[in-house]
Structures are given as structure tokens and as C-alpha cells.
Amino acid sequence: MAKKRWGKIVDLNKCVGCHACSVACLAENKVPNDKFRTKIIEHEEGIFPNVYRYTEKWSCNHCQKAPCVDACPTKASHYTEWGTVEVNPDLCIGCGYCVLACPYRVRVMNEREHGGLPEKCTLCTHRLEKGEKPACEASCIAGAIITGDLNNPDSEINKWMAKGAVERRPDLKTHPNVFIIPYRR
Amino acid sequence: MEHHFTWNYLIAIYLFTAGISSGAGIVAAVGYVVNGMDERLKRVAAYFAPFPVLLGLLCLILDLHRPWNFYKVLIHYNITSVMSWGAFFLLVFPMVAFIFAAMVYWNIDNVWRRIFAWLELIFGIAIGVYAGLLLAAIYNNPVWSNPLIAFLFFISALSTGICSLMLIGKVWDKIEDFVRKFLPSNWQPERILLTFDHKLLKRILIVDAVFIVVELMVISTLLISYALRPTGQVALGAIITGGYYLLFWIGVVLFGLTIPLILGIMEVGDKIKGGMAGIVPWAEPIMVLIGGFILRYVIVYGGQIVYPILTYYP
């Protein structure tokens, strides 16, 4: 059996910007005080009078060629066996270089009294391995999020891939495991 | 979106002190590799070089969010990480500089001192360039991801290093007396007496003026290279038209570079007379040092108030 490669797709046409994923993530991962692993960013685009706005779920893209892993001086940021990016607390010195190196700005440093680790999405691999959905997907009221094994051609996520999923900032050549279906008016 | 300052003024202090050590170390090493440099200047440089970077290392450890883990950076290396290279340079440079200073103090004149002079030159350049490369290696940051930052910090490191030597050299005898007060009475080494005279100070001012002119040229090139990029408006907005523009124009360009340059040229030409005579060897280096710190401060904070292009779908 092929190795698993966990991935995620967010459909911006379905996302309503309710912040449920954001709050569910805080509860599931016990994120310290006012930090977020996933948040909603708002886009306002178009030229008057044809203007429109939409929301986008914003979290770690789990790049296959991650700038944060390249930048980490102690190899604390590393790739897991499922292709996701995680931080090893035993090696992390809390220098903040990965937070600044991330071109998507998804990491935030915790204060020292909360461990001083960079706060980031783990794709809820602890839930995925038990066969459950990640907290964000389970809480999404619009069904805009799907996670699954990108290496399994029969999985639901690969059916979504065929609907026109694209990488964020493909020009950066980070090759993320998290895709989006862009907003179409 | 609000701004999270991941790196604060402690990083600016660290970049600044590492630059001073780098500049002083390069002067000391060049002095012993090439013949002809003034004996007092190269001795002061060799004695002074290891100390500022130690203060910088203290700031660096204080800034870590997991400071009890800091030794991990010295035993786990990642070849793709600029910071990992920097940790290696910062581990080796103070050792080399201390050994070299001891060799100079005890007048050990053999092949080993020559080897350590070359080592100090190599690691001095490495630290001076690394300070800027640390920021330049971060991509998708409109202010930092520019190789000219590394060159700018290196030139500034040479300039601030020379200026700190000018200050130290001017009051060396007083520093020596101050240090001797803390040494036990039965261990008082013989006096060194290295205070710079006016002729030597003028020669240093000429060299520093050259570095200041180069620094001004690098700054203008940097601003143009910002403007030529798609994210240029954001970067220039953080540094020269908004955000930290007052600190940049008044603190760095006017107070830190232009006025010291004019003062230095006037002093070399003996244009300053009367009650103000003799003030330039104090004012020029102090202004350059303050300007050098403000430059690091502006770049470190300016790079964190900008937001890069996050979303782009083809």
C-alpha cells in the first residue's frame, strides 16, 4: 500500500466566513490565549461597480518544500511521514525564524509562559489517524473543507481536485499539500 | 491584521554589536596580515574585537522563546538554514578573537599569529555578512528579501567598527586605569598606553568617510531596487514614506551618515576652530554608532510591519 499523503482542499465558493473552523481548532488543539492556528481572511476585489467580497480559510499549507523547514536552525520543524510539517518541541529553541520565513505568514510565536513554541496547524493528524475528520472539517457548516489521502486515487479529496483546485502562490514553488478552489463569481 | 513583532529591539542590538565586532576584527586582522598599519590602532582593534559580540549573544539568548534550549542550536545543524551557519560563526569568532587578542598582548610573533589573523579576517567577514544575510534569506518579505541588505549591513559593520575603535582609542588610558582598579594589587600588568593622537584620528576619519560614502550609495541602490519590484510600494511605504520614515531619514541618513561625513571632512581639512575644536573625534563616531543602531532597528521592525503578497491564484 502506498504511503499516505494527507492533504486538504478549501472551496472558497462554499466558505461563508463563519469562523467555526477557527474556534473548533482552538478547542481541539488547546491553543493558548489570543493565538490562532487557522483564521478567516477577507478579500475585496473587482473594480467599481463590479465589486465583490469573499472569505478564505487561512492556515498552514503543509508545503512539500517548506521555507520554514529550510530556515529552522535545529531541524525542529520537520516533515512527518504523512507529508505534513510539524515542530519537534525537544529541538525548538524558539528563535522565531520559521515564523518570519513562512511566506504565507501562518505561524505565530507563543509567549514563554505558554511554552514558546511556534503555533501552527498540524492538519489534526492525531484525529486523521483514528479515522476521524479534523476539527475544522467536522465543524464547517458549509461543507467547504475536505481532508484526505492525496495518494489514494479513489478518495473524496481527489474528486475535489478534479474540480479545479490550485496551489496558493504557485510562483513560490513551495508545492503545498493544501489546495483551494478559487472563488468564481 | 495586527502586527506581531516576532523579533524586537534585542535582535537589532545583536545585529549592531555583531557588526561592531566584525568591523573591529577585520581591522585587527588586516593590520597583522598587511604591514604598515599603525601599531596602536591594530592593538586596540585586537583587544576590543571579542567583546561587543558577547553582549549581542546575550541579547540573542534573551530574545529566544525557549532560552533553556539554546544549546541545541550548537549541536544540531541544518545546512539549508542561514541561522545555523550563523550559530557556527558566532561560536567560533569569539574564541578566535580571544586567542588572537592574547597573542597580540603577549607579543607572540610566530606562524600561529598569522594563521589566527587570517581566521579572524575570515570569520569577521562571515559575521558581518551573515547579520544581513539572516534577513535577506527570508523570501516573500518586501523589505528583507533583498541581497543588498547583506552588503549594506557589512559596510555599516565596517564603519561602526572603525568608529568604536576611534572612541576606545581616544580614551584608552582612562579605560586601562579603570580596569586596573578591579585587578588584585599583586597582579597589575604593565601599562600599555595606546591613546590615539590627532594625526592617527584624522587618518581614521578619512577611511571612515570613504565607508560612509559607499554606505550612502548602497542605501540609494537599495531604495531603487525596492522600487523596481512588484512589492516595492509596500517596502518603501514601511521605510521611507510611512512607518519608520522619520527614524530612517533623520536618524540614519541625516544624523547617522550625512552630518558625520561633513564633520569628518571638515576635521580633516582643519576647518573647525575655536571652542568647537576637538569635538569631532567624539561627535563623529558617536553619531555613526547611533545611526548604525537605528539602521538595524528600522530594517528589523520595518520588515515586520509589511504584509507580503499572500494570495495569488493563476
Side-chain angles (χ1 to χ4, degrees), chain B residues 44-309:
Chain B
V44 170
Y47 299 150
F48 179 62
F51 293 104
V53 74
L54 294 182
L55 174 68
L57 285 174
L58 183 69
C59 288
L60 203 56
I61 291 169
L62 286 177
D63 180 70
L64 293 181
H65 287 241
R66 295 166 75 79
W68 58 88
N69 254 2
F70 87 94
Y71 65 92
K72 297 269 168 79
V73 79
L74 302 175
I75 46 180
H76 293 90
Y77 286 94
N78 181 2
I79 201 156
T80 57
S81 169
V82 180
M83 189 181 276
S84 195
W85 285 91
F88 173 68
F89 294 145
L90 288 171
L91 177 69
V92 175
F93 177 80
M95 295 184 196
V96 170
F98 270 120
I99 294 171
F100 186 67
M103 282 174 162
V104 170
Y105 180 75
W106 279 297
N107 292 314
I108 299 169
D109 194 2
N110 57 13
V111 66
W112 281 103
R113 194 179 74 180
R114 217 168 159 74
I115 290 171
F116 271 89
W118 277 105
L119 281 177
E120 179 143 338
L121 183 63
I122 291 165
F123 282 100
I125 293 172
I127 282 185
V129 174
Y130 153 74
L133 216 53
L134 180 72
L135 303 182
I138 288 178
Y139 60 106
N140 203 21
N141 185 314
V143 175
W144 290 351
S145 56
N146 195 324
L148 279 170
I149 293 271
F151 190 48
L152 172 63
F153 277 25
F154 181 61
I155 296 294
S156 176
L158 287 174
S159 177
T160 51
I162 289 170
C163 281
S164 58
L165 293 181
M166 213 188 307
L167 275 185
I168 300 275
K170 195 157 168 54
V171 290
W172 175 268
D173 290 352
K174 293 200 178 72
I175 296 171
E176 210 183 325
D177 289 339
F178 182 74
V179 172
R180 291 166 80 91
K181 260 192 267 176
F182 294 96
L183 296 175
S185 55
N186 58 350
W187 193 72
Q188 290 279 348
E190 55 186 295
R191 295 182 66 84
I192 309 177
L193 291 173
L194 290 173
T195 298
F196 293 174
D197 61 13
H198 197 243
K199 202 174 148 220
L200 178 57
L201 285 172
K202 269 194 192 163
R203 260 192 273 164
I204 301 173
L205 280 170
I206 293 173
V207 175
D208 195 40
V210 173
F211 282 125
I212 290 176
V213 170
V214 175
E215 201 176 334
L216 280 168
M217 293 196 294
V218 175
I219 285 182
S220 43
T221 318
L222 180 70
L223 295 182
I224 293 166
S225 92
Y226 282 151
L228 293 176
R229 292 173 158 207
T231 54
Q233 294 301 316
V234 187
L236 294 177
I239 290 191
I240 65 166
T241 56
Y244 293 93
Y245 76 104
L246 270 181
L247 275 178
F248 179 77
W249 285 119
I250 295 178
V252 178
V253 175
L254 190 68
F255 189 79
L257 295 172
T258 313
I259 295 177
L261 178 64
I262 294 168
L263 283 179
I265 291 171
M266 284 169 78
E267 176 72 14
V268 171
D270 284 323
K271 292 279 188 295
I272 298 175
K273 297 190 177 73
M276 298 297 277
I279 202 163
V280 171
W282 288 100
E284 202 264 2
I286 288 176
M287 288 167 97
V288 169
L289 286 172
I290 293 174
F293 175 71
I294 297 174
L295 172 71
R296 266 77 168 183
Y297 187 93
V298 167
I299 300 287
V300 166
Y301 276 77
Q304 293 181 70
I305 63 163
V306 291
Y307 273 93
I309 301 168

